[in-house]
Amino acid sequence: MYSLNVPVPGTVAALARDLGTRLGTADLRQRGEHTLVAKRLGRGDAARYHELEARARETLRGEPPFEVRVTGVDVFTDVPRGEGPVVYLAVESPGLVDLHRRLCERFDPVDDVEGDDYVPHVTVARGGSVERAAGLRDTPFDPVEWTAERLEFWDAERSQSVSSVSLG
């Protein structure tokens, strides 16, 4: 699956790693894998990827940077795909939500996770104990704020950035 992601600052990735160490047997995101999905674009080979990237770049032309804020820890206990629970860093960003809606007009939303079901977040870990996951909800930390000035085209199969695009 290819997606368009907001890169997270090192402070967010470090927070996610720290929280993940408290989850025992959960499947943790590895260094460099902490991202914030703006929109899933689709699947396919290299030719399909280039088509998706070109369409996304066209859609993003003139899009301004936007503010992002990580505000707390939460848990998805009933996940539509993959193993649960999913511990995540909750994200507030009206600009990201607006961008997601515009991208959903050009790229079909993925059922149960996009469109009206979109919850901006940075995944910490999947699986493990629901009780341990829920216990992290009240973890205190100072909110982390930044301006998203670029987006990355992400290849989920290889867990890596393929290219990026500047906003503005």
Side-chain angles (χ1 to χ4, degrees), residues 69-80:
R69 186 170 195 241
V70 171
T71 58
V73 181
D74 210 342
V75 179
F76 296 122
T77 54
D78 184 23
V79 296

Side-chain angles (χ1 to χ4, degrees), residues 89-100:
L89 297 173
V91 171
E92 293 178 3
S93 178
L96 174 58
V97 171
D98 289 345
L99 176 61
H100 175 79

Side-chain angles (χ1 to χ4, degrees), residues 23-63:
L23 290 169
T25 61
D27 182 19
L28 306 179
R29 290 285 193 254
Q30 299 302 308
R31 183 178 301 273
E33 293 182 346
H34 295 101
T35 64
L36 169 55
V37 175
K39 176 70 183 86
R40 289 159 187 84
L41 301 176
R43 300 183 186 282
D45 59 13
R48 175 74 173 138
Y49 165 74
H50 291 295
E51 173 195 331
L52 294 168
E53 180 181 342
R55 285 178 49 210
R57 285 182 183 278
E58 179 183 313
T59 303
L60 293 169
R61 191 170 293 124
E63 281 291 327

Side-chain angles (χ1 to χ4, degrees), residues 10 53 71 77 106 110 129 142 145-146 152 160:
E53 180 181 342
T71 58
T77 54
R106 294 288 314 267
V110 176
S129 162
D142 292 328
E145 299 178 9
W146 76 97
E152 293 181 337
Q160 67 182 19

